Amino acid sequence: MTTTLPLTEEHLSKLNGGDLVRPDQLLGAHVTQQGGVTGVRFAVWAPNAQHVSLVGDFNGWNPFSHPMSHPNGGWGFWSIFVPEAQHGQTYKYAITGPNGQTVWKADPYATTSELRPKTASVIWQDQPYFWGDDDWMSTRDQGTHTPISIYEVHLASWMRREDNWYLNYRELAPLLADYVAGLNYTHVELMGVMEHPFDGSWGYQVTGYYAPTSRFGTPEDFKFFVDVLHQRGIGVLLDWVPGHFPTDEIGLANFDGSPLYEYADPRKGFHPDWNTYVFDYGRNEVIMFLIGSALRWLEDYHVDGLRVDAVASMLYLDFSRNEGAWIPNIHGGRENLEAIAFFKRLNSVVHHRAPGAIVVAEESTSFPGVTAPEGLDFDYKWAMGWMNDTLAYMAEDPIYRQYDHHKLTFFDVYRTTEKFVLAVSHDEVVHLKHSLVTKMPGSWYEQRAGLRAFLGLQWTMPGKKLLFMGQEFAQRDEWNHDQSLPWYVLDYPEHRGVHDWVRDLNALYRSHPALHASDHTEAGLAWIAANDTRTSVYAYLRRDEQSGRWVLVVLNMTPVYRPGYWIGVPEAGTYRVLLNSDAGEYGGFGTMQDDLKTCSEEAHGQPQHLKLNLAPNSVLVLELL
C-alpha cells in the first residue's frame, strides 16, 4: 500500500527544496480521512496558475463546483478534500493560466488512467497485494559477475487475442514467463508500459509517469505480472523516458499555463526531432517528480531496473540542434550540467532505496564515465558502437568483409571503459531497416546461418545481452506494433532451429562463468586469431578471472567451408564442442570434427593447435576436457 503523507508545510517545503524523493505520496489523488470523514484528497503543483479547480465524475464535470486552494503557505501547490469522491471515479484539473485561458489537465501523479483515446485520470486506492517474490527480491543482484540476458518485449504486439485485441497483464504473465524461461533468459525488458496516448509512439511519449498503461489492466494486474515473472526466476526491467514528454494538451506541456515541467526557452526546452518538450532539470520539483517516478516502479511494483531512454539527448545541449539553436552552459560548453547532476542524484537514490536494482543508460556517444561511480554512476550502458559496427559488418557481402575485418575486434579497444550491454533492440528492426535475419546477405539458408553466427558472436563477447522479440526465431518481416508476432513460424524447422540456438546459447552463457563472470575486465577476453582478414576467421578465449576457467570461441564469417583450419590453443589435451551453430538441430549442415586432440605445432602464438572443420557462417564454442 502506498503511504499518504500529510500536506504539511514541512513536506511541501521538502518537495520545493528537492528533498522529497516520493512526491507521489504527497501529490495526486489519495483516498484518506479528514476529521473522521472518508474521501479523496487531491493536490497538484501549479505555481503560475491563477485558479485551479477539480472536475470529475463526482461533480458532473462542473469546473465551478470544487475550487482548490493553497495549503499551508502555498509553495505553488493547490489542494482540496472531496468526501463524495470515490475509488474508480475519473477526474482532471481545470487550470487557469496567467493568460486567463483554462485547460483541463490529467493528473501528473495519477496511478492509473482511462483507456485511450480517453484521457482522464482515475482515482485509485492501492488494493492489498500479497507478493510471492520474497526469495527473488532478497537475492537479486546487479549482475556484475553473474549472467544478464534480456528479452526485449513490446507487450501490445508480443501476443494478442484472436480478435487482435490486447491480452491483459494477468493473461500475459504466465505465457511470457513460460516462453522466456524456456529460452533461458534471465530478464525481460518491457517497452512502453507507462501510460501514453498514442500506440504508435511505442510508449516513448509518456503522459503517465506513475501509471501502468490501462491497455493491459489495473495497477494490481501489473503487480501480478511482475510477481509471476519473479516467481519463475525472471527479472523485469522497464523502459523509462525522463528526457522528454509529448506536447499533448492534457499532459505536462505548459501545465499551469506556462512552461513548468519543461525549460522555458525552446532552445533548451523543445526537442525538434521528436516534437516534444525537454524536462527542466534545474527545478527541484521536476527532479523530484522524475526520481519519484523511478522509485514508484522500483519500490511499489518490485521492478528490477530501468533502461533510461535517449540519455545523450539529455547530456548535450546541442543534441540534434543546428548552430545557434542551443544555449551553452555557464562555462560555455555543450554539456547540460543540470541533467548530469540529475543522473548522479537518480542513481545514488536508486542504489540506496532499491538494493539489487539496476539502471541502464541508452547513451550513444563517448561521454566519459557513464558507468563509473565517480561519473554518472549508471550500472550499465548499451554498447551502441559495438552494435553499429557488428551489424554493418554482417550486412556486407562476405567477399568484402576482409576489408572491414577489424569491425569485429574494435570493441576490445574500449570494452573495459564502461560496463556494457550488447543490445540489439527494436530500433534495429523497424523503419525499413529489415528484420535481423534479412539484414544478412545471401540465400535464405545463408541468412539463417549468418543470423546464428551473429547471435553466437553476441552471446560469447564480453557484455550483458539484449535481443528484441521475434529475432530469436528469425522473424522475416519487420516488427509491426499493431499485430502479434508470427508465432506460427515456429512450426517450421528453419525458424525453430534459430529459436533453439538462442535457447542453448542462453543455457551455455548462464552455466559457464567464463562467458559472464569477467565481462568488465581485461582478463575476460583474449584474442587467439584476430588478423586473418583473408579468411574472415576469428578465435578468442573467454575467461573467468577468478577460477581461471576458459572456453574457446571460433567464428568463420564467410560462406566458405574451411576443413582442417589450424587454431592455436594455450593448453594441450582433448577438447569438446559445447555448441556448434552448424548443428543440424539448429538448421545447419551438421559439420563434424575429425579429431579434437591438440597437435604440438605452434599456431597463432600458442604452443598447441587444433585442426577444426569450420562450417560456412558458423560459430564453435569449445572447452578443454
Side-chain angles (χ1 to χ4, degrees), residues 207-246:
T207 52
Y209 278 82
Y210 289 77
T213 176
S214 56
R215 288 167 175 82
F216 314 117
T218 69
E220 285 68 40
D221 294 337
F222 184 70
K223 289 178 181 178
F224 176 87
F225 175 91
V226 175
D227 200 8
V228 167
L229 268 72
H230 281 177
Q231 292 183 49
R232 294 294 302 276
I234 300 162
V236 179
L237 310 178
L238 302 186
D239 281 358
W240 187 57
V241 191
H244 61 116
F245 57 89

Side-chain angles (χ1 to χ4, degrees), residues 332-397:
R334 58 195 284 256
E335 296 81 14
N336 188 330
L337 303 180
E338 294 162 341
I340 291 170
F342 161 68
F343 284 133
K344 292 182 177 183
R345 178 81 183 278
L346 167 74
N347 290 319
S348 174
V349 170
V350 168
H351 293 148
H352 175 70
R353 300 265 308 225
I358 63 174
V359 189
V360 182
E362 186 215 5
E363 202 283 305
S364 56
T365 74
S366 56
F367 190 92
V370 172
T371 59
E374 66 277 10
L376 300 183
D377 201 20
F378 282 92
D379 297 293
Y380 295 98
K381 168 181 171 172
W382 274 16
M384 308 293 280
W386 171 87
M387 181 270 296
N388 287 324
D389 286 346
T390 305
L391 288 182
Y393 177 92
M394 297 302 300
E396 289 185 339
D397 186 315

Side-chain angles (χ1 to χ4, degrees), residues 100-380:
Q101 181 180 356
T102 300
V103 177
W104 289 16
K105 291 284 191 176
D107 190 345
Y109 288 92
T111 55
T112 190
S113 301
E114 289 185 296
L115 177 63
R116 62 96 181 100
K118 296 181 179 180
T119 57
S121 303
V122 179
I123 301 167
W124 200 262
Q125 182 178 22
D126 281 352
Q127 307 300 300
Y129 186 85
F130 301 98
W131 290 89
D133 64 348
D134 289 352
D135 289 344
W136 171 269
M137 295 296 288
S138 63
T139 58
R140 69 179 185 180
D141 62 42
Q142 294 172 313
T144 302
H145 302 292
T146 53
I148 293 180
S149 179
I150 305 164
Y151 184 65
E152 188 190 23
V153 181
H154 180 252
L155 287 182
S157 59
W158 181 72
M159 185 178 292
R160 292 194 176 198
R161 299 186 333 196
E162 290 185 2
D163 62 359
N164 204 40
W165 189 246
Y166 306 123
L167 297 171
N168 64 40
Y169 292 119
R170 291 179 183 267
E171 292 169 326
L172 283 162
L175 295 173
L176 186 61
D178 286 346
Y179 185 72
V180 172
L183 281 168
N184 296 308
Y185 279 99
T186 65
H187 291 71
V188 297
E189 180 177 311
L190 304 181
M191 295 169 57
V193 295
M194 300 175 196
E195 194 58 84
H196 54 283
F198 177 50
D199 294 353
S201 78
W202 312 332
Y204 293 110
Q205 296 208 7
V206 180
T207 52
Y209 278 82
Y210 289 77
T213 176
S214 56
R215 288 167 175 82
F216 314 117
T218 69
E220 285 68 40
D221 294 337
F222 184 70
K223 289 178 181 178
F224 176 87
F225 175 91
V226 175
D227 200 8
V228 167
L229 268 72
H230 281 177
Q231 292 183 49
R232 294 294 302 276
I234 300 162
V236 179
L237 310 178
L238 302 186
D239 281 358
W240 187 57
V241 191
H244 61 116
F245 57 89
T247 59
D248 297 56
E249 186 177 76
I250 58 95
L252 299 176
N254 291 294
F255 187 77
D256 62 358
S258 63
L260 184 65
Y261 286 87
E262 67 270 35
Y263 285 111
D265 192 317
R267 291 175 294 173
K268 289 180 72 174
F270 184 75
H271 198 295
D273 282 357
W274 301 326
N275 191 37
T276 53
Y277 288 120
V278 179
F279 281 105
D280 182 347
Y281 307 107
R283 299 196 74 151
N284 287 332
E285 294 90 346
V286 174
I287 294 300
M288 293 299 95
F289 171 80
L290 290 171
I291 289 177
S293 167
L295 292 179
R296 167 71 170 168
W297 300 101
L298 296 170
E299 294 183 336
D300 297 2
Y301 290 111
H302 290 201
V303 165
D304 302 292
L306 302 170
R307 196 277 294 182
V308 182
D309 183 62
V311 167
S313 75
M314 301 169 65
L315 291 175
Y316 297 104
L317 295 164
D318 64 346
F319 183 88
S320 195
R321 296 179 187 274
N322 297 324
E323 187 175 352
W326 58 280
I327 306 173
N329 63 34
I330 58 173
H331 304 297
R334 58 195 284 256
E335 296 81 14
N336 188 330
L337 303 180
E338 294 162 341
I340 291 170
F342 161 68
F343 284 133
K344 292 182 177 183
R345 178 81 183 278
L346 167 74
N347 290 319
S348 174
V349 170
V350 168
H351 293 148
H352 175 70
R353 300 265 308 225
I358 63 174
V359 189
V360 182
E362 186 215 5
E363 202 283 305
S364 56
T365 74
S366 56
F367 190 92
V370 172
T371 59
E374 66 277 10
L376 300 183
D377 201 20
F378 282 92
D379 297 293
Y380 295 98

Side-chain angles (χ1 to χ4, degrees), residues 437 440-449 476:
V437 70
M440 309 296 159
S443 67
W444 174 228
Y445 178 87
E446 289 170 328
Q447 286 179 320
R448 287 183 287 115
R476 298 187 73 168

